[in-house]
Amino acid sequence: MEVRRYQYRCGCGYQGYGFGDDSLDESGYFPELLGRLQEAGMRMSYREAAGWLGRWRVKVSKSQLQRLCVALEGTAQALGRECLAQQAHQALPGRAQEGGRRWCIEVDGSLVPTRVEGGVEWREVKSAVLYPMRAPSQRYYVSALVAAGEFAPLVHGLLRQAGVRQADRLIGISDGAVWIAELLGDLGVKRHILDVYHASTYFETLLQGLGFSEAQRAQQRRALLRGEIDLQRWLNNHLNDPALLAALPTEAQKALRFLEKQALLNHTNYPQFRREGLEVIASGQIEGANKHVIQGRLKIAGARWSVNGAHAKAFGRSQLFSLRPILPFNTVRHVAFPAA
């Protein structure tokens, strides 16, 4: 494989060298066009992508596009998982006593339709998004249709891929799911925060059970969303009457048990989080990823996926929207379509 070296000059005056891989593979397409074909198939349905490409005078059928994308995405998923699994066992760079920065990590799952004999089964694609707290647009994603135990090494590898150092501090934000709490604990997060929007939903149910008026509920919920309420203290102040607790409706009792558990774990002390300078107390990044990165392609009308297909597409989409993909495209295409 021949790799061409070239010199470049940036507009700011910086000069350097880069490497361009213009060598062909066995896909039958030039490298740049092959990359555009894959991105089109990643962003929209194959039929829609083929039509869109046709308007740019790129003649490719739906079946041809699907064949190319399946090969590239399957290869990227296999190589990417292997790379992350290897990185997961490496120590974080740097030394713990150095000054570090704060990173936020959010984890969640999203259900997608998969084909089974006789119908459809909804399975959970697990996703994680990692970003510096002061630079939330610099996001690194990883998504996979796997069990929680198989997902953990991918997230460990993602930390190394993003450049997290030993002195850095991890802030975990979740919806309170047990598997996510276990993963965040395994990652060594310094502060675990219950997403304030999830907390406010349970809080609303509890307030209704306690007989708060609509205006009172709105006032309390706004205060919680602004990070002004420590739920542990609030529960201690308002729920010290056993008769009141016994009279709570079933749904309100469930909400109370959830909030008590999270408060005891110190996941809901939002005023304290603010005092510590934590600027993120909500999981908007991962909720957006579920909707845009995963559901935007895997839950389009009529879509039914094989397990392997959903896994490869979810992993590929997570890399498409990451600040930097795990593997460069040229590496993937030469493995997917090796030249003779």
Side-chain angles (χ1 to χ4, degrees), residues 160-179:
R160 280 98 181 140
Q161 181 73 19
V164 176
R165 303 175 66 84
Q166 288 189 32
D168 293 343
R169 186 181 182 193
L170 276 178
I171 312 300
I173 307 167
S174 78
D175 61 4
V178 175
W179 74 269

Side-chain angles (χ1 to χ4, degrees), residues 185-203:
D186 188 41
L187 293 173
V189 299
K190 299 300 183 183
R191 178 65 79 184
H192 184 172
I193 301 173
L194 175 67
D195 166 43
V196 71
Y197 291 104
H198 279 84
S200 68
T201 302
Y202 287 95
F203 193 46

Side-chain angles (χ1 to χ4, degrees), residues 183-248:
L183 172 59
L184 294 180
D186 188 41
L187 293 173
V189 299
K190 299 300 183 183
R191 178 65 79 184
H192 184 172
I193 301 173
L194 175 67
D195 166 43
V196 71
Y197 291 104
H198 279 84
S200 68
T201 302
Y202 287 95
F203 193 46
E204 172 77 13
T205 302
L206 177 60
L207 293 175
Q208 287 180 346
L210 291 170
F212 279 60
S213 68
E214 184 175 349
Q216 289 174 322
R217 294 199 308 271
Q219 181 184 20
Q220 291 287 320
R221 190 169 181 178
R222 282 196 297 269
L224 178 62
L225 291 172
R226 288 194 298 265
E228 299 172 357
I229 293 180
D230 173 6
L231 282 177
Q232 178 71 75
R233 179 174 296 179
W234 193 97
L235 294 174
N236 291 338
N237 292 339
H238 290 80
L239 298 175
N240 47 19
D241 184 357
L244 181 64
L245 294 176
L248 283 176

